[in-house]
Amino acid sequence: MLQNPSHPAINIIPRPASLILVPGECSVLSTTVIQSHSAFTQEAVFLATRLRLATGWEVPITGTDSFPQATTAFPSALVPTDHERSRTSDRFVIKITLADVDGEGGALGEEDYELTTTSFRVEITAKAAAGVFHGIQTLLQLFPPAIFSHCARIDVAWKLPKVTVRDRPRFGWRGAMLDCARHFFPVSDVKAFIDLLALHKLNVFHWHLTDDQGWRVEIKKYPRLTEIGAWRKETMRGHSSARLGGDGIPHGGFYTQDEVREIVAYATARHITIVPEIDMPGHSRAAIAAYPHLGSSDTPVDVWTEWGVTDAILNPGPETIRFCEDVLTEIMALFPGKFIHIGGDEAMKTQWVANPKIGQFMGEVGAKTPEELQRWFILRINEFLVRNGRRLVGWDEILEGGPVPDATIMGWRGWLNAGVKAAQSGHDVVMTPSSFTYLNHYQSEDIENEPISIGGRFISLEMAYTYEPVAAELTDEQAARVIGIQASLWTEYIGDRMLLERSEEH
């Protein structure tokens, strides 16, 4: 008997808290049946669907208690007749049970699970549906890789190792960000990204929806955001430092509100919360191109065709605040999660400094510096979100003018410094330092044969996997402020699904 969560024969990602491996294998046959508690109907149907796609088997689902009609985002599975139920004793059984006692490690959390495989049986036990779903993902990883096929593989012997896995996540926020503003990805690509998050038991999809190069979500009160802001006339060629000019090919697209609802439902069925990001006051050139009065300069701008940071910035006046509140009202109606991301990073303030009216406004609101003016702006948005029962998330720059009460900070600058300072100042922090967790950097030192990447930095798998998000200099109380970790996938140089999935493989 071996207890080792990193045993090379067992490829479970992320590594579980506990794994006990015993000799032997079990064969999963076409007579397999799923027995599920009715609280986990959706998860049972998900598993049955995956088994059907890969094996060709119609795996029936029976109940360990009364089994209601499933209402689910997954295709329907075959529910057996009473006669079939009487014959399940000679079948391989995958049993999904509701935990009525705590596990060996103490009280079970919402995402905890226990999984055991024996000669004739698999059992997944959890107190909540999220835990069952994570257990199912572990079960799928125990199968041969062909389990992820979308056509029946009759050439595969469907065997499982005999194991007992007990697992619970270290952090409540385990996320990945996809930037759909620099390059637009269709609904099918976004769903594929969500599936990869689910497979690896990540529970937050941070969806970057607006930036200088495109506005990607329909806002009914402001139709020009997508009529104008969702489209740029071309995209720059090569790396930003090469100055090769544009490609002359228009690029754009946006998600209708119905498509957003579809994606939210898809993620929810996989126990993933979507955190939308609507950038303000910087990274807003696409919005300013659509509604020029929102800008801080009298010079008209178009949707940006280059990468980097532009000086276009929202003016902080009352009309802009109302615009932001209107947009966020529609965003909150689409995304039911607690967190709303407002960006706040890389907001160049040269236009604020150059504009006498904004200088006068700074005095009126008591801001002595442009950074304090940005804090005043962020505080107004924060108050609005709090009144509506939501919580603001921003990149670490939002603290440059002072603290933002109750805001959650994403620490991306420096190795650990920005996140550490945020935790020390009493803010909840999601660690996402660019030096370790940005997936859009080079993944090999052989840069000549790598796809073009941002910044020229190489981040190895070892660097990413060995990153420790809780810094040693934090006290226990400050360490508790580190609520999670997140990878970020920026798409300046990722224009199609092939490159997107290559980056995800990091």
Side-chain angles (χ1 to χ4, degrees):
M1 181 180 295
L2 175 71
Q3 181 165 351
N4 182 355
S6 61
H7 188 268
I10 305 298
N11 298 310
I12 300 173
I13 300 174
R15 186 174 64 187
S18 170
L19 185 149
I20 300 173
L21 175 66
V22 299
E25 295 179 313
C26 55
S27 295
V28 183
L29 305 175
S30 59
T31 55
T32 297
V33 62
I34 297 173
Q35 295 180 348
S36 176
H37 189 281
S38 61
F40 308 132
T41 298
Q42 180 166 273
E43 289 66 37
V45 173
F46 174 87
L47 176 57
T49 302
R50 171 44 47 207
L51 292 173
R52 176 175 57 79
L53 288 172
T55 67
W57 308 334
E58 291 289 352
V59 179
I61 301 172
T62 67
T64 57
D65 59 352
S66 59
F67 190 82
Q69 183 67 33
T71 302
T72 172
F74 304 110
S76 297
L78 176 66
V79 177
T81 64
D82 290 339
H83 174 68
E84 288 172 319
R85 287 193 177 105
S86 68
R87 298 180 62 252
T88 58
S89 59
D90 61 353
R91 295 177 173 180
F92 188 92
V93 175
I94 301 175
K95 188 173 183 180
I96 303 174
T97 60
L98 176 67
D100 55 3
V101 295
D102 291 335
E104 288 189 1
L108 289 173
E110 295 291 307
E111 297 188 278
D112 301 355
Y113 68 90
E114 298 182 5
L115 179 149
T116 301
T117 62
T118 61
S119 296
F120 307 104
R121 185 185 191 90
V122 171
E123 184 158 4
I124 299 171
T125 303
K127 68 175 289 186
V132 167
F133 189 77
H134 296 327
I136 288 172
Q137 297 296 339
T138 290
L139 175 61
L140 294 176
Q141 291 186 25
L142 292 172
F143 274 101
I147 195 65
F148 299 107
S149 172
H150 287 277
C151 61
R153 294 288 303 276
I154 60 175
D155 58 325
V156 176
W158 299 106
K159 294 182 180 294
L160 295 169
K162 294 182 179 180
V163 296
T164 295
V165 176
R166 297 184 178 93
D167 202 9
R168 59 179 54 198
R170 180 182 175 190
F171 295 107
W173 184 307
R174 307 178 308 283
M177 186 278 295
L178 177 61
D179 169 20
C180 291
R182 273 47 179 267
H183 279 99
F184 175 76
F185 293 91
V187 170
S188 58
D189 289 358
V190 176
K191 287 182 175 180
F193 187 80
I194 290 171
D195 282 335
L196 284 173
L197 269 59
L199 176 63
H200 294 91
K201 306 182 185 74
L202 304 184
N203 64 352
V204 176
F205 170 35
H206 173 183
W207 199 3
H208 189 80
L209 286 165
T210 72
D211 216 296
D212 299 311
Q213 297 85 1
W215 184 286
R216 305 293 180 216
V217 57
E218 177 188 22
I219 302 297
K220 293 186 181 296
K221 190 168 184 176
Y222 298 98
R224 288 174 59 88
L225 287 172
T226 46
E227 292 171 359
I228 303 297
W231 309 93
R232 62 176 180 261
K233 64 182 180 182
E234 62 182 3
T235 300
M236 65 179 300
R237 294 181 295 125
H239 198 274
S240 57
S241 61
R243 303 294 180 185
L244 298 177
D247 60 10
I249 303 172
H251 178 84
F254 66 93
Y255 306 98
T256 67
Q257 293 197 358
D258 283 344
E259 287 174 327
V260 170
R261 293 185 187 98
E262 177 185 343
I263 291 170
V264 168
Y266 192 86
T268 301
R270 288 151 180 79
H271 300 280
I272 292 172
T273 299
I274 300 183
V275 176
E277 181 176 358
I278 307 296
D279 268 292
M280 58 185 77
H283 284 294
S284 298
R285 181 162 167 161
I288 296 168
Y291 293 96
H293 69 277
L294 298 173
S296 299
S297 170
D298 293 332
T299 303
V301 297
D302 56 7
V303 180
W304 211 24
T305 61
E306 301 179 28
W307 312 134
V309 182
T310 172
D311 63 355
I313 186 171
L314 296 174
N315 75 68
E319 192 170 359
T320 302
I321 296 290
R322 284 194 298 272
F323 165 82
C324 293
E325 291 179 349
D326 290 341
V327 168
L328 292 175
T329 295
E330 294 195 32
I331 290 295
M332 288 187 292
L334 295 171
F335 297 93
K338 176 171 63 174
F339 294 98
I340 302 291
H341 204 304
I342 55 83
D345 60 312
E346 297 179 326
M348 291 180 63
K349 302 173 180 66
T350 52
Q351 291 185 357
W352 283 1
V353 173
N355 190 319
K357 292 182 179 178
I358 293 179
Q360 180 181 348
F361 185 74
M362 285 178 60
E364 293 172 1
V365 299
K368 296 181 177 61
T369 66
E371 288 71 29
E372 289 185 6
L373 181 59
Q374 175 167 321
R375 177 175 182 261
W376 178 90
F377 179 94
I378 297 295
L379 287 174
R380 302 290 80 72
I381 303 302
N382 187 45
E383 291 166 0
F384 172 77
L385 291 174
V386 170
R387 287 199 306 272
N388 285 276
R390 303 302 180 94
R391 188 164 180 181
L392 182 146
V393 186
W395 301 104
D396 55 65
E397 286 98 323
I398 71 171
L399 300 183
E400 289 179 346
V404 180
D406 299 319
T408 296
I409 306 302
M410 284 195 167
W412 75 277
R413 294 181 299 172
W415 286 53
L416 283 172
N417 292 340
V420 167
K421 291 177 181 177
Q424 290 172 335
S425 65
H427 290 85
D428 285 351
V429 179
V430 176
M431 297 302 299
T432 177
S434 60
S435 302
F436 292 94
T437 67
Y438 276 28
L439 302 182
N440 53 307
H441 292 290
Y442 287 109
Q443 299 175 17
S444 165
E445 292 180 286
D446 182 13
I447 292 176
E448 293 298 322
N449 292 307
E450 280 276 302
I452 188 171
S453 180
I454 195 167
R457 179 181 294 148
F458 163 57
I459 298 179
S460 68
L461 269 177
E462 182 179 8
M463 289 174 64
Y465 272 86
T466 58
Y467 167 65
E468 169 52 56
V470 180
E473 57 261 45
L474 295 176
T475 66
D476 289 345
E477 182 179 358
Q478 292 165 351
R481 289 287 188 178
V482 180
I483 64 171
I485 183 172
Q486 179 171 295
S488 295
L489 184 49
W490 302 99
T491 63
E492 287 94 337
Y493 302 102
I494 301 173
D496 56 53
R497 184 167 174 176
M498 181 182 71
L499 287 174
L500 181 70
E501 292 185 344
R502 176 168 178 160
S503 297
E504 291 164 357
E505 288 172 359
H506 196 310

